[in-house]
Amino acid sequence: KKKNDCSCISFELVVRKKVKRCNININNLEKRVINALRSNAFDELNKINFNSDENYIFTGTGGSFSPSVFSSIIINKLYGSNTYFLLPREICFRNNKNIDKVFLFSYSGTTNDLIYGTEEFLNVNKYIITKGEKKNIVLKTKVSKNNIISYKTPSNKGRERGFLSFEGAIAPASIFLKYYLEKINNNIDIEEFLKKSLFKWNTYFEKEFKKEEIKNMFKKGNNINIFTGDYTKSSSYDMESKFIESGIVNVLIHENLNNKNSIYLKSSKTSTYEKEIINYLKDGNNLLIESDYNDILCEYDLLIASQLLIYYVGKTLDIDVSKPSYSSNAMKLYFYKGNL
């Protein structure tokens, strides 16, 4: 018998279907966030003493930066404290002598940039919001386990895979929103709010991305302008991070409208100026993302919208936005672990 002869009469070659990581992460988002809300993280957050006389820094990188923005807005609104949302490197180049506490948002809990960026602070004044394992975080950061707020649970051990963070953005923000609603005695069911918001934005973007002018906005290499205002900060930073990390388009964030090919974020309130902007947006490739809410609920609702937006961009382009193609040199920067 010849070496290369096949003894079978016929066979079928089955190619394993490639599953997009982004799809998996979005499909599991609701369940993972609800598990986070039911974790001990909320009780651990409640133990922290906030007051109006103190100054706080909230920091994160990538997808974990947006919940740091959201949480800083929450604490400022509740207590009138001076809160600053900063990237780790920004912390290194400012005078921090009057900062009382610093809050690190990290999905793993051991993000090197956050460790280096906050090394001047005493560990007793650091709090880490994470899904990581506490004992591993304590070992690497030397931060006390009492200062680690983890939303990992026995039923919520699964972790997102990929460059983009969805659970890492929404879960911490949801915990801080739950904290906020309790402090103002608002009985909104946050789990139902989450489900309603996910359904709304899924339906909205599915419809919008059938339009050719919307599809044309997100051609690879395009420039996208994100126009942001009251209670839209978290979502604008989240969109910027996700689009840049996925390598699809270039993003600029603005306060005022002066360009076409834009994403315009707004609350349900519409000023006379905004009416003029909306009329202007009708011409050209522009996407209006308008929440049904105002204030903190708008901030949270639009942050959820950001997750569905990047999902539909990837779906439209038929790419896995959670697994972009980077050069070896780019990956060296991504895994850089040195001083900032």
Side-chain angles (χ1 to χ4, degrees):
K1 195 174 190 178
K2 292 181 181 179
K3 186 177 180 180
N4 294 326
D5 281 352
C6 178
S7 60
C8 58
I9 298 173
S10 64
F11 66 91
E12 182 181 356
L13 179 63
V14 178
V15 179
R16 185 179 178 185
K17 184 180 179 182
K18 291 184 178 179
V19 179
K20 294 182 174 67
R21 290 176 178 176
C22 177
N23 296 11
I24 296 172
N25 293 336
I26 286 293
N27 290 338
N28 286 312
L29 183 59
E30 179 184 307
K31 178 180 68 176
R32 286 171 172 168
V33 173
I34 288 175
N35 279 329
L37 283 165
R38 296 176 182 178
S39 71
N40 292 330
F42 173 72
D43 295 326
E44 292 169 347
L45 178 60
N46 255 317
K47 294 176 184 177
I48 299 175
N49 181 34
F50 294 102
N51 66 67
S52 60
D53 298 325
E54 292 189 330
N55 304 300
Y56 309 125
I57 286 178
F58 294 77
T59 185
T61 62
S64 292
F65 184 62
S66 57
S68 77
V69 176
F70 182 84
S71 303
S72 74
I73 295 169
I74 290 284
I75 298 304
N76 171 261
K77 192 166 181 65
L78 279 175
Y79 301 103
S81 317
N82 291 316
T83 60
Y84 309 90
F85 51 86
L86 301 169
L87 292 168
R89 197 166 183 274
E90 292 176 314
I91 298 172
C92 297
F93 295 97
R94 70 188 303 276
N95 186 332
N96 297 306
K97 68 178 183 179
N98 291 322
I99 297 299
D100 298 284
K101 295 183 180 76
V102 58
F103 296 85
L104 289 67
F105 290 75
S106 167
Y107 193 59
S108 67
T110 57
T111 305
N112 280 279
D113 285 4
L114 297 180
I115 295 171
Y116 281 110
T118 60
E119 61 185 352
E120 71 173 282
F121 297 95
L122 296 175
N123 285 334
V124 70
N125 295 325
K126 293 181 187 178
Y127 294 85
I128 300 176
I129 296 86
T130 182
K131 196 184 180 178
E133 193 73 51
K134 283 193 176 186
K135 61 181 180 181
N136 296 335
I137 299 169
V138 170
L139 188 63
K140 183 166 183 179
T141 66
K142 311 305 179 190
V143 172
S144 166
K145 68 177 183 179
N146 294 327
N147 285 23
I148 298 171
I149 300 171
S150 177
Y151 48 91
K152 184 176 183 178
T153 67
S155 60
N156 191 24
K157 291 182 177 179
R159 293 174 58 81
E160 291 182 330
R161 294 290 182 265
F163 277 85
L164 303 188
S165 183
F166 299 90
E167 180 188 11
I170 300 299
S174 301
I175 293 164
F176 270 82
L177 177 62
K178 183 178 179 180
Y179 175 85
Y180 171 79
L181 293 174
E182 183 182 85
K183 294 299 180 185
I184 64 169
N185 297 315
N186 190 314
N187 61 359
I188 289 175
D189 186 329
I190 187 173
E191 292 183 15
E192 287 303 313
F193 188 97
L194 170 72
K195 293 175 184 178
K196 182 180 177 181
S197 184
L198 284 169
F199 177 79
K200 173 199 168 174
W201 294 117
N202 186 54
T203 304
Y204 179 72
F205 289 126
E206 184 177 31
K207 178 182 176 182
E208 288 298 295
F209 275 86
K210 290 177 181 176
K211 301 174 182 177
E212 288 302 317
E213 61 268 26
I214 300 300
K215 292 180 183 178
N216 290 336
M217 287 178 61
F218 299 99
K219 288 182 178 178
K220 191 171 178 64
N222 272 5
N223 295 312
I224 297 291
N225 298 287
I226 297 177
F227 295 96
T228 180
D230 299 336
Y231 298 105
T232 64
K233 293 291 186 186
S234 309
S235 54
S236 63
Y237 284 114
D238 191 68
M239 289 178 191
E240 178 191 40
S241 171
K242 283 180 166 58
F243 282 125
I244 294 299
E245 288 194 44
S246 64
I248 299 173
V249 294
N250 302 309
V251 174
L252 292 172
I253 297 179
H254 302 272
E255 285 288 340
N256 297 309
L257 185 69
N258 56 15
N259 280 300
K260 299 295 180 75
N261 217 40
S262 313
I263 296 172
Y264 184 59
L265 302 167
K266 70 178 295 293
S267 67
S268 62
K269 287 184 179 178
T270 306
S271 67
T272 304
Y273 176 59
E274 284 178 317
K275 288 178 182 178
E276 293 297 323
I277 290 176
I278 292 170
N279 286 332
Y280 177 78
L281 283 171
K282 291 176 182 177
D283 228 5
N285 299 336
N286 300 297
L287 177 62
L288 176 64
I289 304 177
E290 181 177 3
S291 175
D292 294 329
Y293 307 93
N294 294 307
D295 213 276
I296 293 297
L297 291 180
C298 170
E299 189 85 33
Y300 181 72
D301 185 42
L302 291 179
L303 185 56
I304 293 173
S306 177
Q307 317 311 306
L308 275 299
L309 173 61
I310 192 69
Y311 166 72
Y312 271 95
V313 170
K315 186 176 180 180
T316 300
L317 299 177
D318 193 27
I319 59 173
D320 188 353
V321 291
S322 287
K323 194 178 180 182
S325 298
Y326 289 121
S327 68
S328 57
N329 287 335
M331 292 307 296
K332 287 178 183 177
L333 291 173
Y334 182 80
F335 290 110
Y336 175 76
K337 299 184 185 299
N339 197 296
L340 297 178

